[in-house]
Amino acid sequence: MDIGPKYFHMGRRDEEIITIDDELEIQELENKQLNSTSESDNHHITTISEEEEEDNPYSTTTNREHQSKRGPILLKRSRKWFDWIFSVIATFLIFWVITSYLFLYCLPIIFNSSITTNQRILHVVYFIIFSFISTLVLYPYYKCTFTHPGIVFKDDKDYALTKEQVEKYKKKGVQFIQDLEREIDEVMNYRKKKEEERNGEIREKVDNNTTINNSTGTNNEMSEEGSDDENRPMVDDTIELSSRGRVRVCEKCWIRKPDRAHHCRQLNACVLKMDHYCPWFANCIGFYNYKYFCLFLCWTSMGGFFVNATMSNYLFKNLSGNQSNNGYRIYSFIDVNLIIVYVFSFCFAFALLFFAVYHFKLILFNTTTIESMGERRFYEQYGCHPYDIGFLYNIKSVLGNNPLTWLSPFHDGVQGDGVRFLSKVKHNNVV
């Protein structure tokens, strides 16, 4: 059986190289994966059962099960003790503001019998609302900190290069990356051809079934939905090119970079749809935790302005203090703490509001911080931003399909596999 160029099928796990003696076993595994992908609707995602996983030497980047198992482990290994410094500071500040508002401002007024009943009821409402906002701040902060952003596995047979390949091309000097990219192009063209052949067989089966069902008048809706899917382009291969106009290769991970993936120095890995590394979370913001990051910005800024709006009357009217004989005003420790919380909340909310608006703009145009800085490259290559598919689909790609859960951190909203994205560009051509 002709399996085409074999540059990527010899993967590795934990730096263990699979030699040529294992080629027959690897070929059998590859044939199993091809059979499983042809039978499934999402043929680009390889699903591995629990029995096969023990014998399979690969991890699949596009498989969410593999990401959920290996991603947290790789994230934990990449973190050092000093990476947590800013995260600990941020956690302390968040809890300080929350506890000060709830237990030093609201509760004393609620249990103060000298204050009118209406004011006490109003502060009960403040207590409930801010408790709810605090939950919507703490949960995405926790998820954004401990959710892995999505990593391109170095032993993924679709992207990884073997140690022998790396050493071979390193000896060639300056030209080894160009030679490597040329061979990658050969592999991808071969796989694209095989993929088109499999898609053609699947379409023939679907067309036959559609013809039979249409003859009985029972499948008109399915044919209409199929035409809609054909009108919406999905990128089957990488469309982003390097500065030399060829396939992008990471010289640190020695992998072929998927679209929108970039190398993160702190995690020492290529991150799917990387936005940036944030020291306040001790984590990289990427495909699987970007929604949590945006919701944290949104709810934290709203919580800060809520604190300012509800505490203003108390600070300007009730903190006059006891005036002594020399004319100075005396403030208690609690009053000073509330004044600091008020000023800090305003500054913090105002700063995060700018970040929230900026990232909301990125969501509207379906771009990332890295892509926005290098957007000129997209326009030079394609004449447009390839991932901008309309405001509604752009928002859905990050926040989820259901508008009712867009602002809910309890729904991740992840769409796709982090490698293939809806785009205006298909096979390096504008459609």
Side-chain angles (χ1 to χ4, degrees):
M1 177 181 177
D2 180 20
I3 59 173
K6 298 185 285 292
Y7 297 106
F8 287 94
H9 79 287
M10 298 173 62
R12 64 183 185 274
R13 172 178 283 181
D14 296 332
E15 303 301 328
E16 179 182 355
I17 306 301
I18 299 175
T19 61
I20 300 177
D21 296 334
D22 300 323
E23 184 174 348
L24 293 177
E25 182 180 357
I26 294 172
Q27 183 175 349
E28 292 178 2
L29 292 171
E30 186 170 358
N31 291 334
K32 288 181 181 179
Q33 292 178 349
L34 290 176
N35 293 332
S36 63
T37 54
S38 62
E39 294 175 357
S40 62
D41 293 333
N42 297 326
H43 52 272
H44 58 279
I45 299 178
T46 304
T47 304
I48 301 177
S49 62
E50 295 180 357
E51 297 178 356
E52 294 175 347
E53 188 174 4
E54 297 178 357
D55 300 328
N56 196 322
Y58 309 120
S59 291
T60 307
T61 300
T62 56
N63 193 315
R64 292 191 66 178
E65 238 180 81
H66 292 184
Q67 288 284 351
S68 62
K69 289 180 180 179
R70 293 194 58 192
I73 298 175
L74 295 174
L75 180 63
K76 183 178 180 181
R77 289 177 180 174
S78 64
R79 284 171 165 169
K80 309 299 181 184
W81 66 268
F82 49 82
D83 293 330
W84 293 101
I85 295 177
F86 288 100
S87 181
V88 171
I89 294 174
T91 303
F92 170 77
L93 294 176
I94 292 172
F95 275 98
W96 168 57
V97 173
I98 292 175
T99 53
S100 296
Y101 182 85
L102 294 178
F103 301 106
L104 298 181
Y105 172 67
C106 289
L107 285 185
I109 295 177
I110 292 173
F111 292 103
N112 190 347
S113 58
S114 62
I115 298 178
T116 62
T117 305
N118 292 335
Q119 285 293 323
R120 295 169 65 183
I121 295 175
L122 181 62
H123 282 77
V124 170
V125 176
Y126 290 165
F127 186 92
I128 296 174
I129 294 176
F130 192 74
S131 298
F132 176 73
I133 295 177
S134 300
T135 303
L136 297 179
V137 169
L138 293 175
Y139 185 76
Y141 181 79
Y142 167 80
K143 294 293 289 185
C144 192
T145 303
F146 294 99
T147 299
H148 66 97
I151 296 171
V152 184
F153 298 127
K154 298 179 182 180
D155 57 355
D156 188 333
K157 73 181 184 68
D158 289 328
Y159 300 100
L161 308 176
T162 62
K163 188 175 181 180
E164 287 88 347
Q165 291 170 347
V166 175
E167 295 299 329
K168 173 183 176 181
Y169 291 105
K170 277 184 177 180
K171 294 178 182 178
K172 290 189 176 183
V174 181
Q175 299 297 323
F176 77 95
I177 284 289
Q178 287 86 336
D179 295 338
L180 185 61
E181 289 179 339
R182 185 180 63 254
E183 294 187 355
I184 292 173
D185 284 336
E186 294 176 5
V187 175
M188 296 311 302
N189 290 332
Y190 170 79
R191 289 186 174 173
K192 186 186 299 182
K193 181 180 178 182
K194 290 296 182 183
E195 191 77 12
E196 290 175 354
E197 292 177 359
R198 288 197 299 269
N199 291 342
E201 295 176 357
I202 294 173
R203 287 194 189 97
E204 288 180 1
K205 294 180 181 179
V206 173
D207 291 339
N208 292 334
N209 294 333
T210 304
T211 303
I212 295 173
N213 291 329
N214 283 340
S215 64
T216 59
T218 58
N219 200 31
N220 292 329
E221 294 180 358
M222 187 182 75
S223 61
E224 293 177 359
E225 293 177 357
S227 62
D228 292 338
D229 293 336
E230 292 178 357
N231 293 330
R232 184 186 300 174
M234 169 68 81
V235 176
D236 298 324
D237 259 342
T238 54
I239 63 172
E240 292 186 24
L241 304 176
S242 65
S243 58
R244 294 182 299 273
R246 302 190 67 86
V247 176
R248 299 187 307 148
V249 174
C250 179
E251 301 179 30
K252 297 180 180 179
C253 297
W254 293 110
I255 60 170
R256 178 177 62 88
K257 287 184 182 180
D259 288 338
R260 317 187 82 173
H262 299 274
H263 185 83
C264 179
R265 181 170 54 87
Q266 286 78 5
L267 299 187
N268 191 27
C270 286
V271 176
L272 299 177
K273 196 185 176 184
M274 179 178 174
D275 190 88
H276 68 286
Y277 179 84
C278 184
W280 300 105
F281 297 94
N283 198 357
C284 185
I285 309 302
F287 180 69
Y288 286 102
N289 60 359
Y290 184 63
K291 178 181 178 180
Y292 298 123
F293 173 75
C294 294
L295 292 184
F296 172 79
L297 297 178
C298 176
W299 287 111
T300 304
S301 60
M302 290 178 61
F305 288 125
F306 181 83
V307 169
N308 295 141
T310 55
M311 289 181 62
S312 297
N313 184 56
Y314 175 82
L315 290 177
F316 290 108
K317 291 185 178 180
N318 299 334
L319 285 183
S320 56
N322 297 324
Q323 189 170 353
S324 60
N325 295 330
N326 55 11
Y328 290 100
R329 292 179 178 177
I330 301 174
Y331 294 97
S332 65
F333 172 78
I334 294 178
D335 293 338
V336 173
N337 182 75
L338 291 179
I339 294 174
I340 298 175
V341 167
Y342 181 87
V343 175
F344 176 79
S345 297
F346 177 79
C347 298
F348 201 57
F350 199 71
L352 290 185
L353 179 63
F354 280 100
F355 285 104
V357 172
Y358 173 72
H359 281 278
F360 182 71
K361 174 192 170 185
L362 297 182
I363 292 176
L364 285 180
F365 293 98
N366 201 0
T367 185
T368 63
T369 301
I370 295 177
E371 292 172 356
S372 64
M373 292 187 293
E375 197 168 14
R376 181 179 178 183
R377 176 171 57 90
F378 284 143
Y379 282 91
E380 290 178 350
Q381 292 179 356
Y382 313 115
C384 64
H385 190 283
Y387 305 113
D388 185 4
I389 54 177
F391 289 159
L392 182 59
Y393 286 112
N394 292 342
I395 296 174
K396 286 183 177 181
S397 66
V398 176
L399 302 181
N401 289 323
N402 188 358
L404 297 178
T405 61
W406 284 353
L407 296 179
S408 171
F410 304 103
H411 300 80
D412 57 14
V414 174
Q415 304 290 319
D417 54 17
V419 174
R420 301 166 181 86
F421 299 92
L422 289 170
S423 175
K424 297 177 182 178
V425 179
K426 190 171 185 180
H427 303 305
N428 298 332
N429 292 314
V430 177
V431 296

